[in-house]
Each structure stands twice: as C-alpha cells, then as structure tokens.
Amino acid sequence: MARPGCPPPARRALAAARALLFWALVYSYCGLCACMAGLRLLWSIGRRPGQTFRWAVRENPPACLNDPSLGTHCYVRIKDSGLRFHYVAAGERGKPLMLLLHGFPEFWYSWRHQLREFKSEYRVVALDLRGYGETDAPSHKENYKLDCLITDIKDILESLGYNKCVLIGHDWGGMIAWLVAICYPEMVTKLIVVNFPHPSVFTEYILRHPSQLIKSGYYFFFQMPWFPEFMFTVHDFKVLKSLFTSQATGIGRKGCRLTAEDIEAYLYVFSQPGALTGPINHYRNIFSCLPLQHHEVIMPTLLLWGERDAFMEVEMAEITRIYVKNHFRLTILSEASHWLQQDQPDIVNKLIWTFLKEETTRKRE
C-alpha cells in the first residue's frame, strides 16, 4: 500500500518520462542551433577569413552615455548579495519611483527616451541588471537563477528607500517584471510590460507552437558554454548591430532608428572583456525555473506590443489577459518592432502617461 502523499509508481514514471522528454527536446534543439551557428561561422571564415575574427578595441564610451539630460549615474550595493548595481536616475528624490528593467542585449540606455519623459513627476531609475554593463557580474551561472533576479529588484527597491514603485520591463526585463509583480505584489502599484507575455503564457505557447519555438531558438543556443559569446564577437559584433538595424529584426522604417552613436554605445558596453557572459547566463537557468507555481497578477497592468516583433508572436499578448486579475490594457502597435520603447518612443510615452493617470480601481475590462 502506497504511503499517503506519495504518488503511485505509474504517476512517478510518467513524470520522469515527461521530464526526460523535455530535457531531450531542450538539448536536441540546443545542438541543432549550435550546428547552424557553426555552419554560419564556417561560411563567414570561407568568405572573409581576415575579417571574421577582427573587432575594434573600444576604450572610451561615446558621449551619449554621459549625457546629463538623461540623469545621474549612481551605484548601490546590496547588503545580502554583496553585489554593486549601476543605474541612471532622473527626477527629484522623494517623487514616486518608476523602475525600468531592460531586455537583452540592452542596458540602461535603452530607456533614454523614458528617462527624459517621466522625470517631471517620477524618480525614474533605469537599472543595469545583474551581469550587465557596470553592474557586478557573478561568474557562475547559478547566480543568475530567476529567484536571484527577482530578489535583486526587491533589494534594490528597499536600498533606494522605497517600498513600492511603478515597474516597467521590456523583453527579458519584462519577464522579471512579471515575476516581481507575482511574488511581491505589495511592491508594485502599476505594472507595465513591453513585448513580453506573462511567463506562463510563454511556457505553454512555445510548447504548442513550433513557429514560436523556432523564434526562441536563441534560448536553446544560449545553453552552450562560451560559444554564444564568441559568435557575438564575429565581424566586430555584427550580430549585435544586426539585431537593431536589420530589416528582419531591427527597428522598422517608420520607427526612430538608432543613430551611429547609439549603436556605438551598445558596441562599447558589450565589447568589454567578459561583458556578454553575464547577460547570456540569465538564459542558462531558464529551463530549470519554468513553469511557475504561482501565476496571478493583481495590480493594474498595461501590456504594450510591437506587432512586427521578430522574436515574440503577437497571439501571446491577448492570452496574457487571463492571468491579470485587475484592470488590464493591451495596446498593439502595428508598425513597431520588438524594440518598442526605442522604436516608437513618443507613442509609448503617451500610452504610459494615459495608463498612469487613469483610475484603474475597477475590474479588468
């Protein structure tokens, strides 16, 4: 007779079989993505062997990273973890806090338009996440588990002298923002996410839609040690530049294209020794952390989405509605890319202002 609380042998066997199948899928697709990247590398070596492994040394930051109109560069050291975080802050101390979490491969500078816009009424803080930019980067991938990333935001909020904030996240920062809202709802007055669905939607959708599985292939490729970082350096970080400028993945023709100085800012940050390992380590724990045990979001939530997102299918945006147990507003911008807050900053800022100023105590629409 089975002991109370213990699953029967058949159920345990089924769970083990599902886990085996899941990890077989993860590592098989990881191997496939690695083979494709290797073939592209060989093709590049064959065509331009002299340029493939050459990149510029960037010792000095471009002037835009020290633009005083964006705010003040600050640092805070977290007592428990001992890590030092870098952030740029605009707006007077004591005003309500707006905390901005960037995606990959970005850093605080991706929020430059929002730092200028919202400082009139908020203390706006654009953070470099753990492992990014001037923030400390622990060496072991275990230090980038989702639990650590969520706790970082809670600790930073407290270290800044606040107990609540308006929380805004884009891409991977959107994932973290969702999780902070789920785990620490008392700390988030309003949640704004840009181009990332509720994590449970993402987990369920990717398993049922091969097209999204293909678009998320980099999640699997990033499971490999060192090779993803190396591929970013090929042809002087051509992959990084293409992400923001190419026709397939970059900011669209009607968007606010990055200037040469903007691109150089990204190249400066990510070309520093070891600068890519921390950001990619965020992804190296993802499959052991999902799916979630808790799902509901209870604060007013705004989800903004660029319909031309090359990495996330727009269908996930509407499904997210079922997990928000409060006012939920979804706005999809038809001509916008994945890099929405940089692509359409004027429209995005206007939508955020509208959401912040409206009364959202009523139930979700």
mmCIF file of all heavy atoms in Angstrom, residues 97 154 156-166 184-189:
data_model
loop_
_atom_site.group_PDB
_atom_site.id
_atom_site.type_symbol
_atom_site.label_atom_id
_atom_site.label_comp_id
_atom_site.label_asym_id
_atom_site.label_seq_id
_atom_site.Cartn_x
_atom_site.Cartn_y
_atom_site.Cartn_z
ATOM 1 N N LEU A 97 8.570 56.401 -7.324
ATOM 2 C CA LEU A 97 9.612 55.689 -8.062
ATOM 3 C C LEU A 97 9.043 54.991 -9.286
ATOM 4 O O LEU A 97 8.026 54.295 -9.210
ATOM 5 C CB LEU A 97 10.284 54.657 -7.164
ATOM 6 C CG LEU A 97 11.391 53.803 -7.814
ATOM 7 C CD1 LEU A 97 12.568 54.669 -8.244
ATOM 8 C CD2 LEU A 97 11.846 52.701 -6.862
ATOM 9 N N LYS A 154 13.692 43.479 -5.499
ATOM 10 C CA LYS A 154 13.166 43.786 -4.165
ATOM 11 C C LYS A 154 14.221 44.510 -3.326
ATOM 12 O O LYS A 154 13.943 45.529 -2.696
ATOM 13 C CB LYS A 154 12.733 42.496 -3.463
ATOM 14 C CG LYS A 154 12.221 42.715 -2.040
ATOM 15 C CD LYS A 154 11.887 41.405 -1.357
ATOM 16 C CE LYS A 154 13.120 40.661 -0.914
ATOM 17 N NZ LYS A 154 13.785 41.324 0.266
ATOM 18 N N ILE A 156 16.902 46.172 -4.329
ATOM 19 C CA ILE A 156 17.240 47.487 -4.881
ATOM 20 C C ILE A 156 16.169 48.509 -4.495
ATOM 21 O O ILE A 156 16.473 49.644 -4.117
ATOM 22 C CB ILE A 156 17.407 47.401 -6.407
ATOM 23 C CG1 ILE A 156 18.719 46.686 -6.736
ATOM 24 C CG2 ILE A 156 17.369 48.778 -7.052
ATOM 25 C CD1 ILE A 156 18.843 46.243 -8.163
ATOM 26 N N LEU A 157 14.921 48.101 -4.585
ATOM 27 C CA LEU A 157 13.818 48.988 -4.206
ATOM 28 C C LEU A 157 13.997 49.459 -2.759
ATOM 29 O O LEU A 157 13.903 50.660 -2.459
ATOM 30 C CB LEU A 157 12.499 48.235 -4.368
ATOM 31 C CG LEU A 157 11.223 49.069 -4.415
ATOM 32 C CD1 LEU A 157 11.165 49.883 -5.691
ATOM 33 C CD2 LEU A 157 10.002 48.164 -4.319
ATOM 34 N N GLU A 158 14.288 48.528 -1.871
ATOM 35 C CA GLU A 158 14.471 48.872 -0.469
ATOM 36 C C GLU A 158 15.718 49.728 -0.252
ATOM 37 O O GLU A 158 15.707 50.673 0.545
ATOM 38 C CB GLU A 158 14.552 47.582 0.353
ATOM 39 C CG GLU A 158 13.241 46.805 0.364
ATOM 40 C CD GLU A 158 13.375 45.437 1.013
ATOM 41 O OE1 GLU A 158 14.532 45.010 1.261
ATOM 42 O OE2 GLU A 158 12.339 44.792 1.257
ATOM 43 N N SER A 159 16.803 49.425 -0.999
ATOM 44 C CA SER A 159 18.037 50.191 -0.854
ATOM 45 C C SER A 159 17.874 51.629 -1.340
ATOM 46 O O SER A 159 18.571 52.534 -0.873
ATOM 47 C CB SER A 159 19.165 49.510 -1.629
ATOM 48 O OG SER A 159 19.445 48.231 -1.103
ATOM 49 N N LEU A 160 16.961 51.843 -2.277
ATOM 50 C CA LEU A 160 16.691 53.192 -2.768
ATOM 51 C C LEU A 160 15.771 53.970 -1.833
ATOM 52 O O LEU A 160 15.504 55.152 -2.074
ATOM 53 C CB LEU A 160 16.072 53.123 -4.169
ATOM 54 C CG LEU A 160 16.970 52.587 -5.293
ATOM 55 C CD1 LEU A 160 16.188 52.471 -6.595
ATOM 56 C CD2 LEU A 160 18.188 53.469 -5.491
ATOM 57 N N GLY A 161 15.284 53.306 -0.797
ATOM 58 C CA GLY A 161 14.431 53.981 0.174
ATOM 59 C C GLY A 161 12.956 53.965 -0.164
ATOM 60 O O GLY A 161 12.189 54.787 0.345
ATOM 61 N N TYR A 162 12.533 53.014 -0.989
ATOM 62 C CA TYR A 162 11.133 52.918 -1.402
ATOM 63 C C TYR A 162 10.560 51.564 -0.997
ATOM 64 O O TYR A 162 11.292 50.582 -0.858
ATOM 65 C CB TYR A 162 11.001 53.069 -2.919
ATOM 66 C CG TYR A 162 11.236 54.472 -3.428
ATOM 67 C CD1 TYR A 162 12.527 54.923 -3.710
ATOM 68 C CD2 TYR A 162 10.180 55.344 -3.642
ATOM 69 C CE1 TYR A 162 12.754 56.208 -4.184
ATOM 70 C CE2 TYR A 162 10.392 56.638 -4.123
ATOM 71 C CZ TYR A 162 11.679 57.061 -4.392
ATOM 72 O OH TYR A 162 11.893 58.325 -4.859
ATOM 73 N N ASN A 163 9.229 51.522 -0.823
ATOM 74 C CA ASN A 163 8.568 50.250 -0.578
ATOM 75 C C ASN A 163 7.606 49.867 -1.694
ATOM 76 O O ASN A 163 6.980 48.812 -1.647
ATOM 77 C CB ASN A 163 7.831 50.261 0.775
ATOM 78 C CG ASN A 163 6.828 51.403 0.881
ATOM 79 O OD1 ASN A 163 6.343 51.928 -0.121
ATOM 80 N ND2 ASN A 163 6.517 51.795 2.107
ATOM 81 N N LYS A 164 7.503 50.741 -2.727
ATOM 82 C CA LYS A 164 6.656 50.420 -3.869
ATOM 83 C C LYS A 164 7.094 51.272 -5.059
ATOM 84 O O LYS A 164 7.797 52.284 -4.906
ATOM 85 C CB LYS A 164 5.183 50.654 -3.556
ATOM 86 C CG LYS A 164 4.858 52.079 -3.142
ATOM 87 C CD LYS A 164 3.402 52.204 -2.720
ATOM 88 C CE LYS A 164 3.089 53.627 -2.247
ATOM 89 N NZ LYS A 164 1.668 53.758 -1.837
ATOM 90 N N CYS A 165 6.668 50.858 -6.243
ATOM 91 C CA CYS A 165 7.070 51.571 -7.462
ATOM 92 C C CYS A 165 6.110 51.261 -8.591
ATOM 93 O O CYS A 165 5.319 50.308 -8.530
ATOM 94 C CB CYS A 165 8.493 51.153 -7.874
ATOM 95 S SG CYS A 165 8.612 49.454 -8.479
ATOM 96 N N VAL A 166 6.197 52.076 -9.624
ATOM 97 C CA VAL A 166 5.682 51.709 -10.938
ATOM 98 C C VAL A 166 6.787 50.918 -11.609
ATOM 99 O O VAL A 166 7.912 51.401 -11.750
ATOM 100 C CB VAL A 166 5.331 52.956 -11.780
ATOM 101 C CG1 VAL A 166 4.981 52.558 -13.208
ATOM 102 C CG2 VAL A 166 4.183 53.724 -11.137
ATOM 103 N N TYR A 184 5.947 39.723 -5.297
ATOM 104 C CA TYR A 184 5.920 40.842 -4.349
ATOM 105 C C TYR A 184 4.871 41.872 -4.791
ATOM 106 O O TYR A 184 5.200 43.019 -5.100
ATOM 107 C CB TYR A 184 7.295 41.495 -4.259
ATOM 108 C CG TYR A 184 8.382 40.567 -3.777
ATOM 109 C CD1 TYR A 184 9.322 40.053 -4.671
ATOM 110 C CD2 TYR A 184 8.477 40.193 -2.438
ATOM 111 C CE1 TYR A 184 10.319 39.186 -4.236
ATOM 112 C CE2 TYR A 184 9.468 39.340 -1.994
ATOM 113 C CZ TYR A 184 10.385 38.836 -2.896
ATOM 114 O OH TYR A 184 11.369 37.981 -2.467
ATOM 115 N N PRO A 185 3.609 41.479 -4.833
ATOM 116 C CA PRO A 185 2.573 42.391 -5.356
ATOM 117 C C PRO A 185 2.452 43.685 -4.561
ATOM 118 O O PRO A 185 2.059 44.721 -5.121
ATOM 119 C CB PRO A 185 1.295 41.548 -5.255
ATOM 120 C CG PRO A 185 1.592 40.506 -4.226
ATOM 121 C CD PRO A 185 3.049 40.208 -4.372
ATOM 122 N N GLU A 186 2.800 43.654 -3.281
ATOM 123 C CA GLU A 186 2.690 44.858 -2.460
ATOM 124 C C GLU A 186 3.698 45.924 -2.866
ATOM 125 O O GLU A 186 3.554 47.098 -2.491
ATOM 126 C CB GLU A 186 2.879 44.510 -0.978
ATOM 127 C CG GLU A 186 4.298 44.116 -0.571
ATOM 128 C CD GLU A 186 4.699 42.690 -0.935
ATOM 129 O OE1 GLU A 186 3.860 41.968 -1.520
ATOM 130 O OE2 GLU A 186 5.848 42.302 -0.631
ATOM 131 N N MET A 187 4.713 45.555 -3.658
ATOM 132 C CA MET A 187 5.750 46.497 -4.054
ATOM 133 C C MET A 187 5.473 47.155 -5.408
ATOM 134 O O MET A 187 6.211 48.055 -5.805
ATOM 135 C CB MET A 187 7.108 45.793 -4.119
ATOM 136 C CG MET A 187 7.572 45.232 -2.786
ATOM 137 S SD MET A 187 9.256 44.585 -2.855
ATOM 138 C CE MET A 187 10.083 45.718 -1.752
ATOM 139 N N VAL A 188 4.451 46.719 -6.104
ATOM 140 C CA VAL A 188 4.180 47.209 -7.461
ATOM 141 C C VAL A 188 2.800 47.859 -7.493
ATOM 142 O O VAL A 188 1.779 47.182 -7.347
ATOM 143 C CB VAL A 188 4.261 46.061 -8.489
ATOM 144 C CG1 VAL A 188 4.040 46.599 -9.906
ATOM 145 C CG2 VAL A 188 5.612 45.339 -8.393
ATOM 146 N N THR A 189 2.768 49.173 -7.676
ATOM 147 C CA THR A 189 1.485 49.866 -7.755
ATOM 148 C C THR A 189 0.847 49.669 -9.119
ATOM 149 O O THR A 189 -0.361 49.441 -9.225
ATOM 150 C CB THR A 189 1.660 51.368 -7.485
ATOM 151 O OG1 THR A 189 2.620 51.918 -8.412
ATOM 152 C CG2 THR A 189 2.152 51.605 -6.069
#
